[in-house]
Short mmCIF file of all heavy atoms in Angstrom, two decimals:
data_model
loop_
_atom_site.label_atom_id
_atom_site.label_comp_id
_atom_site.label_asym_id
_atom_site.label_seq_id
_atom_site.Cartn_x
_atom_site.Cartn_y
_atom_site.Cartn_z
N SER E 1 -1.80 23.31 -8.51
CA SER E 1 -0.38 23.61 -8.90
C SER E 1 0.36 24.10 -7.63
O SER E 1 -0.05 25.03 -6.92
CB SER E 1 -0.44 24.78 -9.94
OG SER E 1 0.92 25.34 -10.10
N TYR E 2 1.55 23.66 -7.51
CA TYR E 2 2.45 24.20 -6.36
C TYR E 2 2.82 25.63 -6.64
O TYR E 2 2.97 26.46 -5.64
CB TYR E 2 3.75 23.31 -6.33
CG TYR E 2 3.62 21.95 -5.68
CD1 TYR E 2 2.38 21.50 -5.20
CD2 TYR E 2 4.72 21.20 -5.51
CE1 TYR E 2 2.34 20.28 -4.59
CE2 TYR E 2 4.66 19.96 -4.82
CZ TYR E 2 3.40 19.51 -4.42
OH TYR E 2 3.41 18.31 -3.74
N LEU E 3 2.83 26.01 -7.78
CA LEU E 3 3.21 27.47 -8.11
C LEU E 3 2.03 28.35 -7.76
O LEU E 3 2.34 29.59 -7.58
CB LEU E 3 3.47 27.65 -9.63
CG LEU E 3 4.50 26.68 -10.26
CD1 LEU E 3 4.75 26.99 -11.66
CD2 LEU E 3 5.79 26.77 -9.43
N LYS E 4 0.86 27.95 -7.50
CA LYS E 4 -0.19 28.85 -7.03
C LYS E 4 -0.46 28.70 -5.56
O LYS E 4 -1.38 29.28 -5.14
CB LYS E 4 -1.46 28.39 -7.85
CG LYS E 4 -1.27 28.67 -9.38
CD LYS E 4 -2.48 28.24 -10.18
CE LYS E 4 -2.27 28.38 -11.65
NZ LYS E 4 -3.37 27.91 -12.47
N MET E 5 0.25 27.86 -4.84
CA MET E 5 -0.02 27.74 -3.41
C MET E 5 0.60 28.89 -2.62
O MET E 5 1.73 29.40 -2.99
CB MET E 5 0.57 26.40 -2.86
CG MET E 5 -0.27 25.14 -3.30
SD MET E 5 0.49 23.68 -2.49
CE MET E 5 -0.67 22.41 -3.14
N SER E 6 0.02 29.28 -1.45
CA SER E 6 0.63 30.14 -0.62
C SER E 6 1.70 29.49 0.20
O SER E 6 1.92 28.29 0.10
CB SER E 6 -0.48 30.63 0.45
OG SER E 6 -0.91 29.63 1.23
N LYS E 7 2.53 30.28 0.96
CA LYS E 7 3.62 29.72 1.76
C LYS E 7 3.11 28.70 2.73
O LYS E 7 3.67 27.69 2.98
CB LYS E 7 4.42 30.75 2.28
CG LYS E 7 5.75 30.25 3.04
CD LYS E 7 6.65 31.35 3.44
CE LYS E 7 7.90 30.79 3.95
NZ LYS E 7 8.90 31.87 4.26
N GLU E 8 1.95 29.03 3.41
CA GLU E 8 1.36 28.19 4.42
C GLU E 8 0.86 26.91 3.82
O GLU E 8 1.03 25.82 4.36
CB GLU E 8 0.18 28.94 5.10
CG GLU E 8 0.62 30.09 6.00
CD GLU E 8 1.79 29.64 7.00
OE1 GLU E 8 1.54 28.56 7.63
OE2 GLU E 8 2.81 30.33 7.09
N GLU E 9 0.29 26.98 2.60
CA GLU E 9 -0.07 25.73 1.87
C GLU E 9 1.00 24.86 1.49
O GLU E 9 1.06 23.69 1.63
CB GLU E 9 -0.95 26.08 0.63
CG GLU E 9 -2.35 26.71 0.98
CD GLU E 9 -3.02 27.22 -0.31
OE1 GLU E 9 -2.34 27.82 -1.19
OE2 GLU E 9 -4.29 27.05 -0.31
N LEU E 10 2.10 25.56 0.96
CA LEU E 10 3.35 24.83 0.64
C LEU E 10 3.92 24.01 1.90
O LEU E 10 4.36 22.92 1.81
CB LEU E 10 4.37 25.72 0.04
CG LEU E 10 4.12 26.34 -1.37
CD1 LEU E 10 5.10 27.34 -1.75
CD2 LEU E 10 4.06 25.13 -2.33
N LYS E 11 3.90 24.82 3.04
CA LYS E 11 4.38 24.19 4.28
C LYS E 11 3.60 22.97 4.64
O LYS E 11 4.18 21.93 5.09
CB LYS E 11 4.41 25.19 5.38
CG LYS E 11 5.48 26.21 5.43
CD LYS E 11 5.41 27.15 6.57
CE LYS E 11 6.61 28.19 6.60
NZ LYS E 11 6.50 29.06 7.68
N SER E 12 2.42 23.10 4.57
CA SER E 12 1.52 21.88 4.92
C SER E 12 1.74 20.86 4.02
O SER E 12 1.75 19.54 4.45
CB SER E 12 -0.04 22.39 4.93
OG SER E 12 -0.85 21.28 5.08
N GLU E 13 1.79 21.10 2.67
CA GLU E 13 2.11 20.01 1.70
C GLU E 13 3.44 19.44 1.98
O GLU E 13 3.53 18.10 1.83
CB GLU E 13 2.04 20.52 0.28
CG GLU E 13 2.36 19.64 -0.85
CD GLU E 13 1.34 18.57 -1.11
OE1 GLU E 13 0.24 18.57 -0.43
OE2 GLU E 13 1.49 17.77 -2.03
N PHE E 14 4.44 20.12 2.25
CA PHE E 14 5.70 19.70 2.49
C PHE E 14 5.75 18.69 3.75
O PHE E 14 6.45 17.66 3.64
CB PHE E 14 6.75 20.73 2.72
CG PHE E 14 8.20 20.44 2.64
CD1 PHE E 14 8.59 19.28 1.93
CD2 PHE E 14 9.15 21.13 3.25
CE1 PHE E 14 9.92 18.96 1.79
CE2 PHE E 14 10.52 20.81 3.15
CZ PHE E 14 10.88 19.71 2.50
N GLU E 15 5.03 19.01 4.73
CA GLU E 15 4.95 18.07 5.96
C GLU E 15 4.37 16.70 5.49
O GLU E 15 4.80 15.68 5.98
CB GLU E 15 4.10 18.71 6.97
CG GLU E 15 4.86 19.88 7.70
CD GLU E 15 6.17 19.45 8.26
OE1 GLU E 15 6.20 18.48 8.94
OE2 GLU E 15 7.10 20.28 8.06
N THR E 16 3.25 16.80 4.67
CA THR E 16 2.74 15.48 4.11
C THR E 16 3.72 14.62 3.33
O THR E 16 3.83 13.50 3.56
CB THR E 16 1.55 15.85 3.39
OG1 THR E 16 0.53 16.56 4.15
CG2 THR E 16 0.83 14.51 2.77
N VAL E 17 4.44 15.38 2.42
CA VAL E 17 5.36 14.71 1.50
C VAL E 17 6.57 14.23 2.44
O VAL E 17 7.06 13.11 2.11
CB VAL E 17 5.95 15.61 0.49
CG1 VAL E 17 7.03 15.07 -0.28
CG2 VAL E 17 4.81 15.91 -0.46
N LYS E 18 7.05 14.84 3.36
CA LYS E 18 8.12 14.46 4.23
C LYS E 18 7.77 13.12 5.00
O LYS E 18 8.64 12.25 5.08
CB LYS E 18 8.64 15.56 5.19
CG LYS E 18 9.43 16.58 4.63
CD LYS E 18 10.22 17.44 5.50
CE LYS E 18 9.34 18.26 6.26
NZ LYS E 18 10.03 19.27 7.14
N LYS E 19 6.51 13.03 5.45
CA LYS E 19 6.14 11.93 6.19
C LYS E 19 6.01 10.66 5.25
O LYS E 19 6.48 9.52 5.60
CB LYS E 19 4.69 12.10 6.72
CG LYS E 19 4.72 13.02 7.90
CD LYS E 19 3.36 13.38 8.48
CE LYS E 19 3.29 14.25 9.66
NZ LYS E 19 1.92 14.56 10.10
N GLU E 20 5.56 10.91 3.97
CA GLU E 20 5.52 9.83 3.06
C GLU E 20 6.99 9.43 2.74
O GLU E 20 7.22 8.11 2.52
CB GLU E 20 4.78 10.35 1.80
CG GLU E 20 4.79 9.20 0.72
CD GLU E 20 4.03 7.91 0.96
OE1 GLU E 20 3.46 7.89 2.00
OE2 GLU E 20 4.10 6.97 0.13
N TYR E 21 7.93 10.30 2.50
CA TYR E 21 9.29 9.95 2.19
C TYR E 21 9.89 9.29 3.34
O TYR E 21 10.61 8.25 3.09
CB TYR E 21 10.10 11.24 1.97
CG TYR E 21 11.60 11.11 1.62
CD1 TYR E 21 11.97 10.56 0.33
CD2 TYR E 21 12.57 11.15 2.53
CE1 TYR E 21 13.22 10.23 0.06
CE2 TYR E 21 13.84 11.01 2.22
CZ TYR E 21 14.11 10.52 1.01
OH TYR E 21 15.47 10.19 0.66
N ALA E 22 9.69 9.60 4.53
CA ALA E 22 10.19 8.80 5.65
C ALA E 22 9.64 7.42 5.72
O ALA E 22 10.32 6.47 6.06
CB ALA E 22 9.85 9.57 6.92
N ARG E 23 8.42 7.31 5.40
CA ARG E 23 7.82 5.91 5.39
C ARG E 23 8.49 5.07 4.36
O ARG E 23 8.80 3.91 4.58
CB ARG E 23 6.31 5.98 5.08
CG ARG E 23 5.54 4.66 5.09
CD ARG E 23 4.12 4.84 4.67
NE ARG E 23 4.09 5.02 3.15
CZ ARG E 23 4.10 4.06 2.24
NH1 ARG E 23 4.29 2.79 2.60
NH2 ARG E 23 4.01 4.40 0.93
N LEU E 24 8.73 5.58 3.11
CA LEU E 24 9.46 4.97 2.10
C LEU E 24 10.82 4.54 2.39
O LEU E 24 11.38 3.47 2.12
CB LEU E 24 9.43 5.77 0.73
CG LEU E 24 7.99 5.98 0.12
CD1 LEU E 24 8.09 6.97 -0.94
CD2 LEU E 24 7.50 4.68 -0.43
N THR E 25 11.55 5.49 3.07
CA THR E 25 12.98 5.20 3.41
C THR E 25 13.10 4.18 4.49
O THR E 25 14.20 3.45 4.54
CB THR E 25 13.67 6.52 3.85
OG1 THR E 25 13.00 6.99 5.01
CG2 THR E 25 13.73 7.54 2.82
N SER E 26 12.04 3.95 5.25
CA SER E 26 12.14 2.88 6.37
C SER E 26 11.84 1.57 5.83
O SER E 26 11.98 0.50 6.54
CB SER E 26 11.04 3.27 7.37
OG SER E 26 9.70 3.03 6.87
N MET E 27 11.50 1.35 4.54
CA MET E 27 11.08 0.13 3.97
C MET E 27 12.18 -0.80 3.45
O MET E 27 12.13 -1.82 3.00
CB MET E 27 9.97 0.24 2.90
CG MET E 27 8.74 0.92 3.51
SD MET E 27 7.34 1.11 2.35
CE MET E 27 6.89 -0.62 2.15
N GLY E 28 13.44 -0.13 3.39
CA GLY E 28 14.61 -0.91 2.98
C GLY E 28 14.65 -1.33 1.57
O GLY E 28 15.11 -2.51 1.22
N PHE E 29 14.22 -0.52 0.62
CA PHE E 29 14.34 -0.80 -0.83
C PHE E 29 15.64 -0.86 -1.38
O PHE E 29 16.59 -0.20 -0.84
CB PHE E 29 13.42 0.20 -1.64
CG PHE E 29 11.94 0.13 -1.42
CD1 PHE E 29 11.22 1.33 -0.90
CD2 PHE E 29 11.20 -1.06 -1.59
CE1 PHE E 29 9.86 1.28 -0.65
CE2 PHE E 29 9.95 -1.07 -1.27
CZ PHE E 29 9.23 0.07 -0.89
N ASN E 30 15.80 -1.68 -2.43
CA ASN E 30 17.06 -1.72 -3.18
C ASN E 30 16.60 -1.80 -4.63
O ASN E 30 16.55 -2.97 -5.25
CB ASN E 30 17.95 -2.93 -2.75
CG ASN E 30 19.19 -2.99 -3.45
OD1 ASN E 30 19.67 -2.07 -4.04
ND2 ASN E 30 19.86 -4.14 -3.50
N LEU E 31 16.35 -0.66 -5.27
CA LEU E 31 15.77 -0.62 -6.59
C LEU E 31 16.80 0.09 -7.55
O LEU E 31 17.51 1.05 -7.15
CB LEU E 31 14.49 0.12 -6.63
CG LEU E 31 13.50 -0.48 -5.49
CD1 LEU E 31 12.31 0.50 -5.31
CD2 LEU E 31 12.94 -1.82 -6.03
N ASP E 32 16.72 -0.22 -8.77
CA ASP E 32 17.66 0.31 -9.84
C ASP E 32 16.98 0.53 -11.13
O ASP E 32 16.52 -0.32 -11.74
CB ASP E 32 18.85 -0.63 -10.00
CG ASP E 32 20.06 0.00 -10.81
OD1 ASP E 32 19.77 1.01 -11.38
OD2 ASP E 32 21.20 -0.49 -10.69
N MET E 33 16.87 1.91 -11.43
CA MET E 33 16.43 2.22 -12.80
C MET E 33 17.51 3.16 -13.50
O MET E 33 17.11 4.17 -14.07
CB MET E 33 15.07 2.95 -12.79
CG MET E 33 13.98 1.97 -12.42
SD MET E 33 12.27 2.50 -13.05
CE MET E 33 12.08 3.98 -12.06
N SER E 34 18.75 2.66 -13.39
CA SER E 34 19.82 3.62 -13.88
C SER E 34 20.24 3.29 -15.26
O SER E 34 20.86 4.15 -15.97
CB SER E 34 20.94 3.52 -12.95
OG SER E 34 21.58 2.24 -12.88
N ARG E 35 20.22 2.01 -15.76
CA ARG E 35 20.62 1.71 -17.05
C ARG E 35 19.62 1.03 -17.96
O ARG E 35 18.74 0.26 -17.37
CB ARG E 35 21.87 0.71 -16.92
CG ARG E 35 23.20 1.29 -16.21
CD ARG E 35 23.70 2.59 -16.78
NE ARG E 35 23.95 2.67 -18.23
CZ ARG E 35 24.60 3.71 -18.79
NH1 ARG E 35 25.02 4.68 -18.10
NH2 ARG E 35 24.68 3.74 -20.14
N GLY E 36 19.67 1.27 -19.20
CA GLY E 36 18.64 0.65 -20.13
C GLY E 36 19.09 -0.67 -20.50
O GLY E 36 19.36 -0.94 -21.71
N LYS E 37 19.02 -1.59 -19.61
CA LYS E 37 19.41 -3.06 -19.92
C LYS E 37 18.06 -3.86 -20.10
O LYS E 37 17.13 -3.65 -19.32
CB LYS E 37 20.23 -3.60 -18.80
CG LYS E 37 21.45 -2.93 -18.57
CD LYS E 37 22.31 -3.73 -17.47
CE LYS E 37 21.63 -3.83 -16.09
NZ LYS E 37 22.51 -4.46 -15.02
N PRO E 38 18.16 -4.86 -21.00
CA PRO E 38 17.03 -5.79 -21.12
C PRO E 38 16.95 -6.59 -19.81
O PRO E 38 17.94 -6.94 -19.27
CB PRO E 38 17.39 -6.61 -22.32
CG PRO E 38 18.38 -5.84 -23.04
CD PRO E 38 19.11 -5.01 -22.07
N GLY E 39 15.73 -6.92 -19.43
CA GLY E 39 15.59 -7.84 -18.32
C GLY E 39 15.80 -9.23 -18.77
O GLY E 39 15.82 -9.52 -19.88
N ALA E 40 15.97 -10.04 -17.66
CA ALA E 40 16.15 -11.50 -17.88
C ALA E 40 15.01 -12.13 -18.73
O ALA E 40 15.25 -13.01 -19.56
CB ALA E 40 16.36 -12.20 -16.59
N ASP E 41 13.76 -11.65 -18.35
CA ASP E 41 12.66 -12.19 -19.26
C ASP E 41 12.76 -11.82 -20.69
O ASP E 41 12.35 -12.63 -21.57
CB ASP E 41 11.36 -11.70 -18.65
CG ASP E 41 11.30 -10.13 -18.37
OD1 ASP E 41 12.31 -9.51 -18.60
OD2 ASP E 41 10.23 -9.58 -18.03
N GLN E 42 13.31 -10.76 -20.99
CA GLN E 42 13.58 -10.50 -22.43
C GLN E 42 14.65 -11.25 -23.08
O GLN E 42 14.53 -11.82 -24.18
CB GLN E 42 13.98 -8.94 -22.59
CG GLN E 42 12.91 -7.89 -22.42
CD GLN E 42 13.39 -6.53 -22.42
OE1 GLN E 42 13.64 -5.89 -21.48
NE2 GLN E 42 13.43 -6.08 -23.77
N MET E 43 15.73 -11.39 -22.32
CA MET E 43 16.83 -12.27 -22.85
C MET E 43 16.37 -13.72 -22.99
O MET E 43 16.96 -14.47 -23.95
CB MET E 43 18.05 -12.12 -21.89
CG MET E 43 18.72 -10.72 -22.10
SD MET E 43 20.21 -10.56 -21.12
CE MET E 43 19.67 -10.54 -19.43
N ASP E 44 15.54 -14.17 -22.18
CA ASP E 44 14.94 -15.57 -22.29
C ASP E 44 14.28 -15.74 -23.61
O ASP E 44 14.13 -16.94 -24.11
CB ASP E 44 14.08 -15.91 -21.11
CG ASP E 44 14.75 -16.10 -19.81
OD1 ASP E 44 15.94 -16.44 -19.91
OD2 ASP E 44 14.16 -16.11 -18.79
#
């Protein structure tokens, strides 16, 4: 649990998460999960 981590443990975890986030942002995604629309396969 993050709620049970010390400040040093949180800092270490944050560095790991920031690296993963930077990796994801470099991949040029264009994704959308904003509206509940049926997909083309459903409409077919």
Side-chain angles (χ1 to χ4, degrees):
S1 167
Y2 281 3
L3 304 185
K4 295 175 182 175
M5 286 184 178
S6 67
K7 188 168 185 178
E8 291 307 311
E9 288 173 323
L10 288 171
K11 283 182 178 179
S12 175
E13 176 72 1
F14 195 25
E15 288 304 312
T16 300
V17 170
K18 282 198 288 187
K19 288 177 182 176
E20 176 63 8
Y21 180 75
R23 184 185 72 82
L24 292 170
T25 57
S26 71
M27 297 181 73
F29 290 124
N30 183 18
L31 307 168
D32 190 343
M33 287 207 294
S34 63
R35 298 304 311 188
K37 301 188 295 185
D41 47 358
Q42 289 178 262
M43 292 185 287
D44 284 344

